[in-house]
Amino acid sequence: MMSMMNHPSLLSQHEALSNHSLYQKIKSHSDLKVFMESHVFAVWDFMSLLKRLQIEITCVTLPWRPSPYPKHVVRMINEIVLGEESDLDPTGHACDHFTLYLKSMSDIGANPERLINFMHDLNFEKWCSKAEKDFVSYNLDLSNKGKAHEVAAAFFFGREKLIPDMFTSILGDLRSHFNADAKKSFPNLCYYLERHIEIDGGEHSHLAQDCLFALCGNDEVKWEEARSAGEKSLLLRKALWDEVEKKLMSK
């Protein structure tokens, strides 16, 4: 179902997020703090989607049995888990991407306390804004209860396909507003963005698409469910960005 890759609703949402007006409004360290203190929720819940796919496609139970899925798809999931949980940071030391993002927040004095507290008790009402709650609850529910092809669709359309374009725009606007000081002021963030543009814009996005194809096959019902999950993921991300933009405009 290659036509699903170019579905008008998915393309329009992808374009809206790739060039969201929020990015141009991050003009100061205080603006960046506001953005990162919400974005960190999306950095964290990404891992639940990925780990659900690892459970579904690879073997993480005993006794071990070979996966029924194409081996390049199995390899893709394991490679992404390897990178997300133990990539190299700018100093060459092993570091998971979530911890790298927390270091990026520390660079500019952004406070991850809401997310850290939320991780412990999952209390949406206490720690999350409305858009954060809607976004994270959807992805956690999908990770726990969704069909595998729906998870793969949110992973592909809402993350692996989107992130390179979205982060390219964010990084470009940061460099524009902070000039040469961007990399010096927040090196971990620049590295984090550059690294995801590199790996998600290369082999990972293509293999994430292969994963979606392997799970949907020629089943039109699965493809429609995948489209719906992908579109919902994009719409909720846009709502999150809209909310952050409003916070910046009201400062």
Side-chain angles (χ1 to χ4, degrees), residues 7-184:
H7 193 283
S9 63
L10 292 170
L11 288 177
S12 64
Q13 290 300 322
H14 181 102
E15 179 65 22
L17 284 163
S18 296
N19 299 288
H20 198 287
S21 54
L22 162 66
Y23 314 143
Q24 298 176 2
K25 293 181 174 63
I26 304 173
K27 299 179 180 180
S28 68
H29 279 71
S30 62
D31 294 338
L32 192 54
K33 288 179 187 179
V34 172
F35 170 76
M36 295 184 76
E37 287 170 8
S38 281
H39 180 224
V40 69
F41 283 86
V43 174
W44 175 73
D45 79 350
F46 165 84
M47 287 304 300
S48 290
L49 294 172
L50 175 57
K51 298 302 277 190
R52 167 62 192 283
L53 290 176
Q54 186 183 33
I55 291 168
E56 187 74 28
I57 292 171
T58 74
C59 182
V60 293
T61 58
L62 298 175
W64 177 87
R65 295 180 178 88
S67 170
Y69 291 101
K71 293 303 177 278
H72 72 285
V73 176
V74 175
R75 182 182 179 88
M76 180 273 293
I77 293 296
N78 284 329
E79 283 184 346
I80 294 180
V81 171
L82 174 66
E84 290 294 333
E85 293 189 326
S86 55
D87 201 4
L88 298 180
D89 68 12
T91 67
H93 293 91
C95 182
D96 65 86
H97 285 175
F98 175 71
T99 298
L100 178 60
Y101 197 83
L102 294 184
K103 290 180 180 179
S104 303
M105 295 181 73
S106 179
D107 285 346
I108 64 163
N111 189 349
E113 182 178 357
R114 287 193 304 116
L115 183 276
I116 299 299
N117 288 329
F118 174 74
M119 286 171 58
H120 291 304
D121 62 17
L122 298 183
N123 188 328
F124 287 100
E125 303 304 327
K126 187 174 183 180
W127 304 115
C128 299
S129 67
K130 183 183 185 308
E132 290 165 353
K133 174 186 175 182
D134 291 346
F135 183 84
V136 174
S137 64
Y138 174 73
N139 288 303
L140 292 186
D141 286 346
L142 198 62
S143 299
N144 283 307
K145 305 172 187 176
K147 299 173 183 177
H149 56 277
E150 294 174 323
V151 179
F155 186 77
F156 173 63
F157 291 113
R159 309 287 176 139
E160 296 297 281
K161 186 180 181 184
L162 172 68
I163 283 174
D165 291 341
M166 185 171 67
F167 281 6
T168 296
S169 292
I170 293 173
L171 188 59
D173 283 319
L174 286 179
R175 286 170 173 163
S176 174
H177 293 311
F178 293 92
N179 299 316
D181 291 333
K183 205 155 192 173
K184 182 185 298 184

